[in-house]
Amino acid sequence: MSSVGIARLLKLEMPMQKYLLPSQYIDYEHPSVSEKAAELADGVSSELDLVKICFEFVRDDIKHSWDYRMNPVTCKASDVLIHGTGYCYAKSHLLAALLRANAIPAGLCYQRLTVAADGPPYCLHGLNAVYLKQQGWYRIDARGNKPGVAAEFCPPTEKLAFPIIDDLERDFPEIWPEPLPLVVKALTQNTTVEQVFDNLPDIEHIQNNKDQIKEST
């Protein structure tokens, strides 16, 4: 992290610092991630511009594993970057890592969405929240655009990949500093994109199922 980044980090209040730390899966201290973060930030003076650049890199340059039927299954930010592919959850780990490496607080968010057009089965969908100085927390979805999916970075308007369309879908408000264990389990215990798709993580109520989430590891 640059000296400017360190200075910005030290100015943040302690509760915000957990959204800046490296970890096992948001491993921005890995050389590939730190170098890419520096490359994306080179010559960029505006925080908003930098967030947009990082967002669009992960959205457009990292292939969604299921859209492209692309192995290997990735979970760590560094693996997502090295292999150029990841499910939505893994892509959110990389985006959080790139932002945190540039001293921009970033967390992980989840929705519960229908897998098909309407009704069961359901699964969790992973996205990010980034803390913008002029706005506060703002959600962004870098899963990758395709016909019918058009996520953008256009604060203060939120433009995510998927709307909530039925009563059993959920827009979870929590902003997590680390991925949910049941998400990590899906990405680390399945070895192909097809196996992940057949075992997508799902939970109806995060707040009411925290013990279940912990037991899933």
Side-chain angles (χ1 to χ4, degrees):
M1 185 180 294
S2 69
S3 59
V4 173
I6 293 171
R8 290 171 62 190
L9 185 153
L10 293 174
K11 291 179 181 178
L12 292 168
E13 296 179 0
M14 287 302 296
M16 191 66 72
Q17 296 213 14
K18 63 185 177 181
Y19 297 105
L20 285 158
L21 297 175
S23 67
Q24 181 177 1
Y25 297 105
I26 305 175
D27 58 339
Y28 68 73
E29 292 181 322
H30 189 283
S32 64
V33 181
S34 60
E35 288 169 11
K36 175 56 71 171
E39 175 190 322
L40 294 172
D42 186 35
V44 181
S45 57
S46 162
E47 179 186 74
L48 287 179
D49 287 344
L50 180 52
V51 173
K52 183 177 182 180
I53 288 168
C54 292
F55 165 73
E56 291 183 348
F57 167 74
V58 177
R59 184 193 66 184
D60 300 339
D61 289 17
I62 304 297
K63 293 178 171 60
H64 187 280
S65 298
W66 186 247
D67 288 355
Y68 289 85
R69 303 298 195 274
M70 189 171 176
N71 285 305
V73 177
T74 55
C75 187
K76 289 184 178 181
S78 57
D79 288 338
V80 179
L81 182 60
I82 290 167
H83 296 289
T85 187
Y87 268 90
C88 58
Y89 325 103
K91 293 185 70 170
S92 74
H93 303 167
L94 175 57
L95 181 52
L98 293 172
L99 293 171
R100 291 183 188 186
N102 283 299
I104 298 173
L108 308 173
C109 299
Y110 299 94
Q111 295 175 313
R112 186 190 196 225
L113 302 174
T114 177
V115 175
D118 189 17
Y122 297 88
C123 71
L124 288 181
H125 170 61
L127 57 152
N128 293 91
V130 57
Y131 191 82
L132 305 176
K133 290 189 181 75
Q134 302 302 317
Q135 180 171 336
W137 286 110
Y138 173 74
R139 291 191 303 171
I140 46 179
D141 192 339
R143 64 86 61 205
N145 289 345
K146 62 179 182 177
V149 176
E152 302 290 343
F153 178 77
C154 48
T157 303
E158 184 179 87
K159 191 170 182 183
L160 304 180
F162 302 108
I164 300 300
I165 61 174
D166 79 29
D167 291 341
L168 292 180
E169 292 188 323
R170 299 284 183 268
D171 217 349
F172 296 119
E174 295 86 359
I175 301 171
W176 299 81
E178 295 298 322
L180 295 180
L182 76 167
V183 168
V184 172
K185 179 179 179 180
L187 296 179
T188 57
Q189 296 190 8
N190 294 288
T191 58
T192 68
V193 294
E194 292 80 10
Q195 289 174 354
V196 174
F197 187 80
D198 289 338
N199 296 279
L200 290 169
D202 178 36
I203 196 163
E204 188 171 356
H205 299 287
I206 288 182
Q207 284 291 349
N208 295 336
N209 289 277
K210 285 185 176 178
D211 290 338
Q212 181 179 338
I213 290 169
K214 292 175 183 176
E215 290 168 3
S216 69
T217 57

